[in-house]
């Protein structure tokens, strides 16, 4: 049996039994919906539903591989894009391991050249080493590489840390209450964070860009956060932000502290600091860290002036910024995955939860859609993966018996072939 | 702090007649005029001549000063004249039905208000801001070496910085706590200028022309002749139609497209934004006169200065350096990158985007 038929059958069964797990968005009548199917490669877009029941029936009938809805509200969601009548849009953030370089992607992520089929691990190259594919064809069309990525524990933990940073900035700095923030595991490799209160709906792209720059620390100039040279009883001295200051001021100080705590000679040389300065910094590391209790380390290192500190501080900012996909937030017409529906690349659910539970939420347990059943699967190649409480693999060219959830997962990843199954 | 400021506000909640003369766009001023039972037809009576003349002066100020600013002289005009002449000027500007005049007039009135607000005490500034629904309060907060008098809801802040691109206006470079941005009086006045400008632009509705008495329309004709040069609308090429002059507008990267459209519609563009757009357009071979025309709609347009700057960037003046637009990194830092698309991810410079994209488009046309 081919994988697609198997997956579709499983998805169909899931929706028939669990259609009420599909979460109906606020103001369903103003949202645009989009669906991808198993057979056709094009997306069904510009669909609208007046009632929750209509949407549920539609999903059961067509059995989509992915279900999306617009973060935007429209007066006519089914009209053409420029005639829909944009009314507003939720404030939406996407944190995906694809945008965060993790150490483990070399082990589990794979790229396949779309021209010659060469496979490799980690981040795809700019030029294919075999056929010289530049990512473009001669007409300038983008070809690039097909990527197979895995929702591994380390990647998911990284995205969780970024989500926690994001939620902290949204509450401490931007003043949203934790109950106004909805989180979701995307069903694949990351988290979604969404704010639906009236106040944010009318924000235009420019305003959203400012918000995204704020949470990612883009365009910060430390001079606006207290890092400056002042004259003090006749002498020029440096002053800078403190650990307990609010907003980015405090974040800059804390990030700088964090960076200096771990920085190696190589890190510091990489910033273009002179050798003596680097040695001086490392030799006095304890004193520097201690100095944050008083007025900070700004004047402690001979030869390290405003310019040098600015470079160090920029590294500190990286520690504190939340790694959010910038394009998604700024796009006020974006389609996003509907919570309570299955992800076509994993067979896991997109599952929403209150932001206050982000520390303890276990995505690979909560998102499991298929309970029970068993399948016999030939696995071509798969790294270790966890579904629910159980860890599977790594597998290479072997036939194994797996629970349906794991079989669907491997089939979706195209890493194996389902031979037989019973539910 | 909270209780303290509420108390002070209750005492100072009223805005006086002289405040209405300074800020004639506040609702109290409209209410005052309603009570006077003033009608547009009254303008033709001799008693009202000073109002009509002040209204015209407001518009002439806006069109002839640079940067545009309506004057304020309480000794020359009484409060009533100052208050009533504002909506009259709005009607006249509406009837002129010209985008240049509309934008320039709104800017000039907003600038007038800005300069007055800068000199006000904080209670007054807060009162005016609240007329626009701003969630603002007195703060009196010292952060480092700087004292901040105001705390403004960050969404109200964002709504008013969209035309600024200077680094220090970026939200990320501001002290932000619990949803509030800490600001100086100067900053609040500047942000209010934006709000006021938008408010006035929205009030200007060309449909009023049809209800104006003949006599007023004649006045309008004279006004139009006085400022003929300023009123002239200049044709600006649409991006896609640039193809006819050998510039592949459709191949512009998103950042340049955004700047081009901003210039086209006369929105404010930062210095670095203008530099980026101008150096880009020169590099792709656009004619300098067309670039001048592109900036013509800008509210603070000055032809001589614009031409000088363009020639400077083209390397025809000064040191002779031909300037190249900044690379993507720099544009991102300055908030000029509207977000990368797929092609953006492959390049590091807007010109590289253009070359690649233009090449593929040309091939497509050739089939």
């Amino acid at each position: 049996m081919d994988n697609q038929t198997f997956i579709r059958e499983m998805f169909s069964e899931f929706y028939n039994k669990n259609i009420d797990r599909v979460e109906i968005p606020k103001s369903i009548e103003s949202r645009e919906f989009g669906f991808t199917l198993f057979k056709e490669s094009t997306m069904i877009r510009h669909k609208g539903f007046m009632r929750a029941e209509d949407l549920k029936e539609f999903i059961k009938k067509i059995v989509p591989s992915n279900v999306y809805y617009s973060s935007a509200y429209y007066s006519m969601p089914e009209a053409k894009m420029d005639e829909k009548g944009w009314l507003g849009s939720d404030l939406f953030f996407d944190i995906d391991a694809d945008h965060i370089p993790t150490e483990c992607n070399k082990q589990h992520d794979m790229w396949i050249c779309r021209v010659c089929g060469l496979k490799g691990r980690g981040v795809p190259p700019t030029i294919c080493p075999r056929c010289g594919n530049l990512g473009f064809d001669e007409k300038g069309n983008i070809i690039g590489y097909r990527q197979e990525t895995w929702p591994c524990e380390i990647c998911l933990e990284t995205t969780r840390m970024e989500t926690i940073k994001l939620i902290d900035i949204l509450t401490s700095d931007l003043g949203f209450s934790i109950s106004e923030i909805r989180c979701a595991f995307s069903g694949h490799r990351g988290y979604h964070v969404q704010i639906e209160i009236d106040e944010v709906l009318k924000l235009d792209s420019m305003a959203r860009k400012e918000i995204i720059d704020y949470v990612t620390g883009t365009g910060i100039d430390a001079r606006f956060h207290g890092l400056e040279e002042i004259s003090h009883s006749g002498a020029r001295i440096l002053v800078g932000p403190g650990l307990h200051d609010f907003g980015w001021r405090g974040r800059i100080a804390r990030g700088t502290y964090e960076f200096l705590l771990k920085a190696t000679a190589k890190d510091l040389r990489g910033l273009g600091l002179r050798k003596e300065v680097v040695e001086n910094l490392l030799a006095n590391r304890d004193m520097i860290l201690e100095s944050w209790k008083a007025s900070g380390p700004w004047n402690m290192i001979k030869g390290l002036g405003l310019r040098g500190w600015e470079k160090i501080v920029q590294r500190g900012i990286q520690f504190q910024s939340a790694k959010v996909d910038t394009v998604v937030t700024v796009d006020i017409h974006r389609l996003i995955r509907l919570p309570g529906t299955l992800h076509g690349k994993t067979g896991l659910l997109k599952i929403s939860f209150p932001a206050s539970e982000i520390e303890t939420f276990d995505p690979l347990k909560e998102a499991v859609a298929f309970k029970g059943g068993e399948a016999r699967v030939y696995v071509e190649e798969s790294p270790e993966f966890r579904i629910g409480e159980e860890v599977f693999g790594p597998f290479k060219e072997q036939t194994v018996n797996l629970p349906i959830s794991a079989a669907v997962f491997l089939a979706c990843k195209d890493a194996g072939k389902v031979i037989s199954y019973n539910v | 702090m909270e209780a303290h400021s509420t108390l002070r506000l209750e005492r100072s909640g009223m805005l006086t007649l002289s405040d209405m003369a300074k800020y004639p766009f506040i609702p109290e001023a409209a209410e005052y005029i309603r009570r006077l039972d003033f009608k547009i037809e009254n303008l033709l009576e001799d008693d009202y001549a000073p109002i009509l003349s002040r209204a015209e002066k407001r518009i002439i100020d806006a069109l002839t000063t640079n940067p545009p600013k309506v004057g304020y002289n309480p000794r020359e005009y009484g409060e009533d004249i100052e208050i009533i002449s504002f909506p009259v000027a709005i009607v006249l500007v509406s009837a002129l039905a010209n985008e240049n005049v509309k934008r320039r007039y709104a800017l000039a009135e907003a600038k007038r208000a800005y300069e007055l607000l800068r000199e006000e005490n904080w209670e007054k500034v807060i009162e005016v801001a609240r007329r626009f629904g701003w969630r603002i309060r007195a703060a009196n907060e010292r952060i480092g070496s700087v004292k901040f008098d105001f705390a403004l809801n960050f969404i109200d802040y964002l709504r008013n910085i969209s035309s600024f691109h200077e680094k220090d206006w970026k939200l990320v470079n501001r002290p932000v706590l619990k949803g509030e941005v800490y600001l100086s009086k100067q900053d609040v006045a500047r942000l209010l200028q934006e709000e006021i400008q938008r408010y006035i632009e929205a009030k200007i509705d060309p449909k009023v022309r049809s209800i104006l008495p003949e006599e007023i329309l004649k006045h309008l004709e004279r006004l139009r002749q006085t400022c003929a040069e300023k009123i002239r609308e200049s044709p600006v090429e649409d991006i896609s139609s640039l193809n006819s002059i050998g510039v592949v507008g459709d191949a512009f990267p998103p950042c340049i497209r955004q700047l081009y459209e901003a210039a086209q519609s006369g929105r404010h563009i930062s210095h670095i934004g203008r530099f980026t757009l101008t150096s880009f357009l020169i590099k792709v071979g656009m004619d300098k006169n067309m670039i001048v025309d592109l900036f013509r709609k800008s509210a603070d347009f000055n032809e001589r200065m614009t031409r000088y700057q363009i020639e400077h960037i083209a390397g025809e003046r000064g040191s002779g350096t031909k300037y190249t637009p900044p690379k993507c990194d720099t544009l991102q830092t300055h908030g000029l990158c509207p977000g990368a698309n797929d092609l953006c991810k492959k390049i590091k410079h807007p010109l590289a985007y253009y070359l690649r994209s233009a090449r593929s488009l040309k091939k497509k046309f050739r089939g």
Side-chain angles (χ1 to χ4, degrees), chain A residues 136 138-140 142 172-175 199 206 209-210 213-214 218-221 224-225 228 246-249, chain B residues 135 143-145 154-155 158 162 167-168 170-173 176-179 337 340 342-343 356 360 363:
Chain A
F136 283 94
E138 68 279 13
K139 290 209 174 98
I142 294 157
S172 314
D173 293 19
L174 300 186
E199 273 206 78
M206 297 283 276
K209 180 75 173 42
E210 281 297 314
D213 283 352
Y214 193 90
T218 305
I220 291 189
D221 189 331
F224 298 119
H225 293 288
E228 57 184 343
F246 67 76
W248 264 105
R249 217 179 148 97
Chain B
R135 290 150 293 180
I143 303 166
S145 56
F154 89 96
I155 288 176
L158 290 182
S162 56
K167 262 184 159 183
D168 59 329
K170 279 192 77 62
L171 186 65
V172 77
N173 284 324
V176 183
L177 178 66
K178 291 274 163 226
C337 171
D342 286 338
L343 181 52
R356 274 203 192 197
S360 69
K363 280 192 178 146

Side-chain angles (χ1 to χ4, degrees), chain A residues 34 36 43 53 76 81-82 108 175 184 205 218 316 333 335 352 356 388:
Chain A
T36 60
M43 188 194 252
E53 288 317 307
M76 287 178 295
M81 215 57 224
D82 47 355
H108 57 67
S205 285
T218 305
H333 302 285
L335 288 182
S352 67
S356 55

Side-chain angles (χ1 to χ4, degrees), chain A residues 391-419:
Chain A
V391 177
F392 306 94
F395 301 118
K396 193 165 171 90
E397 294 165 12
Q398 63 194 106
T399 303
V400 284
N401 287 333
L402 294 171
I404 288 290
S405 55
V408 171
F409 178 76
L410 287 176
C412 286
K413 286 271 151 215
D414 216 14
K417 235 179 139 20
V418 175
I419 299 159

Side-chain angles (χ1 to χ4, degrees), chain A residues 35-287:
Chain A
F35 307 85
T36 60
L37 302 178
F38 286 96
K39 290 270 180 277
E40 296 96 276
S41 58
T42 52
M43 188 194 252
I44 305 177
R45 277 201 74 164
H46 315 298
K47 287 291 292 179
F49 298 94
M50 291 309 285
R51 303 175 315 137
E53 288 317 307
D54 302 339
L55 170 65
K56 289 175 180 176
E57 282 312 309
F58 189 77
I59 290 175
K60 281 202 279 190
K61 195 177 88 201
I62 68 164
V63 194
S65 50
N66 295 286
V67 182
Y68 304 96
Y69 76 110
S70 60
S71 59
Y73 305 81
Y74 301 105
S75 48
M76 287 178 295
E78 298 207 306
K80 278 190 286 182
M81 215 57 224
D82 47 355
E83 290 166 10
K84 281 187 183 337
W86 186 83
L87 301 171
S89 184
D90 299 333
L91 184 58
F92 185 80
F93 301 91
D94 180 22
I95 300 117
D96 191 300
D98 288 354
H99 298 276
I100 310 166
T102 49
E103 270 310 304
C104 50
N105 65 21
K106 285 185 203 69
Q107 283 130 51
H108 57 67
D109 287 356
M110 183 183 275
W111 53 263
I112 300 126
C113 174
R114 283 197 209 270
V115 177
C116 70
L118 184 71
K119 285 183 183 178
R121 298 231 169 254
V123 182
T126 27
I127 302 173
C128 173
R130 187 156 82 196
C131 70
N133 172 15
L134 269 170
F136 283 94
D137 66 6
E138 68 279 13
K139 290 209 174 98
N141 297 316
I142 294 157
I143 346 170
Y145 304 88
R146 189 160 68 85
Q147 280 180 274
E148 289 296 352
T149 54
W150 284 81
C152 95
E153 304 261 12
I154 301 169
C155 289
L156 285 177
E157 204 44 43
T158 311
T159 53
R160 184 212 302 276
M161 296 317 292
E162 297 303 325
T163 309
I164 290 171
K165 280 196 265 175
L166 171 64
I167 293 172
D168 179 54
I169 296 172
L170 292 176
T171 52
S172 314
D173 293 19
L174 300 186
F176 294 107
S177 86
I178 190 91
S179 59
E180 288 167 341
I181 304 174
R182 255 171 29 111
C183 276
F185 168 57
S186 71
H188 191 206
R189 302 225 302 154
Y191 290 90
H192 295 168
V193 170
Q194 195 161 2
I195 297 172
E196 295 184 333
I197 59 171
D198 290 349
E199 273 206 78
V200 303
L201 301 186
K202 293 279 182 199
L203 291 172
D204 62 11
S205 285
M206 297 283 276
R208 287 169 207 250
K209 180 75 173 42
E210 281 297 314
I211 294 176
I212 204 80
D213 283 352
Y214 193 90
V215 302
T216 56
T218 305
I220 291 189
D221 189 331
R223 285 173 304 170
F224 298 119
H225 293 288
L227 180 63
E228 57 184 343
E229 213 172 38
I230 59 162
S231 162
H232 185 71
S233 33
R236 306 291 291 168
I237 61 156
L238 282 181
V239 291
L243 294 180
H244 303 292
D245 290 347
F246 67 76
W248 264 105
R249 217 179 148 97
R251 286 178 208 285
I252 287 173
R254 294 192 292 278
T256 306
Y257 180 95
E258 213 176 334
F259 171 60
L260 290 178
L261 186 66
K262 298 170 187 162
T264 61
K266 199 175 158 227
D267 291 337
L268 293 166
R269 287 297 301 231
L271 295 176
L273 299 177
R274 278 183 292 123
K275 200 160 161 252
E276 308 85 74
V277 171
V278 172
E279 281 166 8
N280 214 337
L281 269 168
L282 294 172
N284 292 298
R285 194 197 301 258
D286 291 345
M287 231 168 71

Side-chain angles (χ1 to χ4, degrees), chain B residues 271-284:
Chain B
H271 175 68
I272 176 141
R274 284 177 202 223
F275 171 78
T276 305
L277 180 59
T278 307
S279 52
F280 182 93
L281 294 175
I282 292 170
K283 283 278 173 197
V284 303

